[in-house]
Amino acid sequence: MSAPGRNDPCPCGSGRKYKRCCQRTETVTPVAYSPAERSNAFSKLLRLARRPEFDSDRALAEQAFWSDRLERLPPDLADEIGASEALLVAFLTWLGFDFELTDGPDLTLARRLLRTHSGDLSSGERTWIERMAASSLRLLEITAVQLDQGLSLTDLLSGERLEVTERSATHQLSRWDVLAVRVIEGPTGSLVLEGHPYSFPRQVAATVRTEITRRRKTLSRRSGGGPEDDAWFAKELGLILHHLWLDLAVNPPIPKVVTTEGDELVFTKVVFDVTDEGRARTALAQCSDLEPDDEGFTWVERTSEMSRVLGSLSLTKGRLNLETNSSERAARGRAFLEAALGESVRYRLSTSQSVEQALAEGPKRRQESEIPLEVQQQVVGEYLERHYRGWVDESIPALGGRTPRHAVRLKTVRPKVIEMLKDIENGMARERAAGRPAIELDWLWAELGLTRERG
């Protein structure tokens, strides 16, 4: 391959001119293929795919790729997904490198191009196609992000750890994100990401992994297993992951969120008219289940093993408001207050808001906020710090009622704590990337005696 000119794109793939990049160094790392060769190779593959002899294969591939998934989506979303250029590239990549042609086993368009048109390919073009043909989509979790340098990844199916050279995606991805993407040896020998990445919400990652494992076991039982089946299934992963992404990530159902009692999470407010404020304040101050705070009172339930917050109360301008997070707690709180305060209050009304409604209104409320970001960061940051320092000693239903500090010492429950920490930290990273308040959580891992590398 001839050396690039001074004004040519740098072979390392940085996007800068050669004279402003690798030519400045004393030595230039040899490259297996240039960005231009990569682009040319893909174009030649697509030209082959458009030949009339492959019309029926393309039709079969398109039917398999989408199945009836688009029909299950809301019309507007289906139109958006169907018209996505990124997903068109995903389809063409799968068609070229994974879809098995009807005229021969283990024969893809890429293999056909290498067999019958090798003379039309440069060395670099051939190298890129060979590496892509040997690759498949992988389900990966990001364990570290080095801006403008690369990503540390873990294959969630094999457990293999990978170091990938990457630049642009390091500004869009966060630690503990889960995605499906190809990984191949890049132009200079380091691993790089290739093709369209499918991003999965963390809450469905376990479901995706379980479903893939189930299908792999089914195949193994039917055929007896073996290296050939492993290679075949690796290629099948592309279609499986695409379908799982459509089913679980594109329009996922909002999971049911419940309180520690198992009741549906509903943000509820109970409003009372106050007929005798002095008497009401005296009665509130005498309730052992109420703790004074800056806003009024916190309603707390105590047992011999733990205490938990059930709601909050505020008394102002002739109104007593109880705010809690379930209809059951609201009814319990109303009965409690009517018994404790007697005729000094009179029930007025109750309002409620589902999680779905709160999520829909959240962005609007944030846009309307006139509080400076630095003030939000300080106030919310202090709240989050207090919350998670208390969280380690709270009873968590998902941990069988154990506290994180207790659960992390149990071999069978420890992985659940680690997944919770990943979820929390991933959420913080996304809030930070969106310009909203967030905190670093290195101390939380240390508090529980965990490291990100070993768990």
Side-chain angles (χ1 to χ4, degrees):
M1 181 170 55
S2 60
R6 282 172 47 79
N7 291 313
D8 289 340
C10 187
C12 74
S14 67
R16 298 193 293 271
K17 291 183 178 180
Y18 177 52
K19 65 183 180 182
R20 299 187 183 280
C21 192
C22 289
Q23 193 182 36
R24 291 181 173 182
T25 62
E26 293 184 3
T27 60
V28 178
T29 303
V31 296
Y33 57 86
S34 68
E37 287 177 311
R38 175 192 179 281
S39 177
N40 290 340
F42 196 43
S43 295
K44 291 177 181 180
L45 182 63
L46 296 184
R47 281 199 296 272
L48 178 65
R50 286 194 292 268
R51 290 175 56 170
E53 64 188 277
F54 298 114
D55 285 350
S56 61
D57 283 300
R58 287 199 314 275
L60 288 172
E62 188 167 358
Q63 182 180 19
F65 193 74
W66 293 111
S67 184
D68 61 347
R69 261 70 180 186
L70 292 181
E71 299 172 11
R72 303 179 193 173
L73 300 176
D76 290 347
L77 183 57
D79 291 343
E80 179 184 345
I81 293 297
S84 168
E85 290 188 13
L87 287 175
L88 174 60
V89 172
F91 168 71
L92 293 173
T93 303
W94 174 76
L95 171 65
F97 295 104
D98 292 348
F99 177 74
E100 190 173 285
L101 300 174
T102 55
D103 62 352
D106 191 31
L107 184 61
T108 61
L109 283 167
R111 297 294 181 194
R112 173 67 68 85
L113 184 66
L114 290 171
R115 290 182 187 181
T116 61
H117 296 76
S118 182
D120 297 333
L121 302 172
S122 70
S123 173
E125 290 168 352
R126 192 161 47 249
T127 297
W128 182 77
I129 291 178
E130 288 172 346
R131 292 179 181 179
M132 287 291 288
S135 73
S136 60
L137 278 184
R138 303 177 69 167
L139 185 65
L140 303 165
E141 180 182 68
I142 299 174
T143 57
V145 178
Q146 299 86 34
L147 285 179
D148 295 316
Q149 296 182 41
L151 304 166
S152 299
L153 306 165
T154 297
D155 188 309
L156 291 178
L157 301 177
S158 68
E160 181 184 1
R161 298 190 177 187
L162 309 168
E163 296 294 329
V164 171
T165 300
E166 178 58 50
R167 295 192 179 188
S168 61
T170 61
H171 292 269
Q172 298 147 10
L173 297 171
S174 302
R175 172 180 275 156
W176 308 127
D177 279 352
V178 175
L179 68 157
V181 69
R182 294 173 188 267
V183 178
I184 71 168
E185 185 181 339
T188 60
S190 61
L191 297 179
V192 297
L193 303 182
E194 267 289 1
H196 169 68
Y198 292 92
S199 179
F200 286 91
R202 279 200 56 82
Q203 62 265 30
V204 306
T207 302
V208 173
R209 183 165 50 180
T210 299
E211 179 62 16
I212 292 172
T213 301
R214 183 188 68 80
R215 297 193 192 188
R216 183 66 185 88
K217 287 181 178 178
T218 300
L219 170 68
S220 182
R221 284 196 301 268
R222 290 176 179 173
S223 63
E228 291 183 0
D229 283 342
D230 290 339
W232 177 84
F233 190 76
K235 284 297 185 179
E236 285 294 299
L237 270 180
L239 191 60
I240 293 172
L241 285 165
H242 172 70
H243 286 168
L244 288 171
W245 179 77
L246 288 171
D247 293 342
L248 299 173
V250 171
N251 191 33
I254 296 177
K256 183 179 179 181
V257 185
V258 299
T259 65
T260 52
E261 298 98 322
D263 302 319
E264 183 179 0
L265 188 70
V266 178
F267 303 109
T268 308
K269 179 186 286 188
V270 183
V271 182
F272 296 87
D273 290 323
V274 179
T275 58
D276 188 333
E277 184 169 334
R279 181 180 170 188
R281 287 188 181 278
T282 299
L284 290 171
Q286 293 175 347
C287 291
S288 60
D289 290 338
L290 300 179
E291 296 180 353
D293 58 32
D294 294 339
E295 301 296 326
F297 296 88
T298 299
W299 179 24
V300 180
E301 180 181 55
R302 299 181 181 84
T303 68
S304 59
E305 299 179 352
M306 55 168 280
S307 64
R308 61 182 172 187
V309 174
L310 299 180
S312 61
L313 289 90
S314 61
L315 198 165
T316 180
K317 296 181 181 180
R319 292 278 172 82
L320 174 64
N321 298 316
L322 165 65
E323 294 187 51
T324 186
N325 58 7
S326 76
S327 299
E328 290 77 10
R329 285 184 180 180
R332 177 180 168 187
R334 175 184 172 181
F336 159 61
L337 291 172
E338 287 177 333
L341 276 62
E343 296 181 358
S344 63
V345 297
R346 182 172 59 250
Y347 172 74
R348 183 179 182 85
L349 58 87
S350 296
T351 62
S352 62
Q353 184 182 49
S354 67
V355 174
E356 293 89 340
Q357 292 169 330
L359 289 173
E361 291 188 10
K364 180 179 178 182
R365 290 181 178 177
R366 284 193 291 268
Q367 290 171 4
E368 294 173 348
S369 175
E370 297 181 357
I371 302 174
L373 179 59
E374 58 271 19
V375 176
Q376 294 183 47
Q377 178 65 59
Q378 179 180 350
V379 174
V380 177
E382 289 175 355
Y383 167 79
L384 291 172
E385 189 87 14
R386 290 196 304 272
H387 171 75
Y388 284 111
R389 289 197 181 278
W391 176 81
V392 297
D393 294 309
E394 286 184 7
S395 172
I396 308 296
L399 300 177
R402 304 175 183 87
T403 68
R405 195 187 300 278
H406 175 205
V408 81
R409 298 196 296 267
L410 305 176
K411 184 176 180 180
T412 57
V413 191
R414 183 188 185 100
K416 292 184 179 180
V417 181
I418 294 171
E419 287 304 309
M420 285 182 174
L421 290 181
K422 290 179 179 180
D423 290 345
I424 294 168
E425 195 164 41
N426 182 253
M428 291 292 176
R430 291 192 167 278
E431 289 294 294
R432 189 180 300 109
R436 294 190 287 268
I439 61 173
E440 297 290 345
L441 293 172
D442 293 352
W443 63 267
L444 185 54
W445 290 82
E447 181 76 12
L448 293 173
L450 297 170
T451 64
R452 295 183 181 89
E453 292 74 22
R454 291 178 297 140

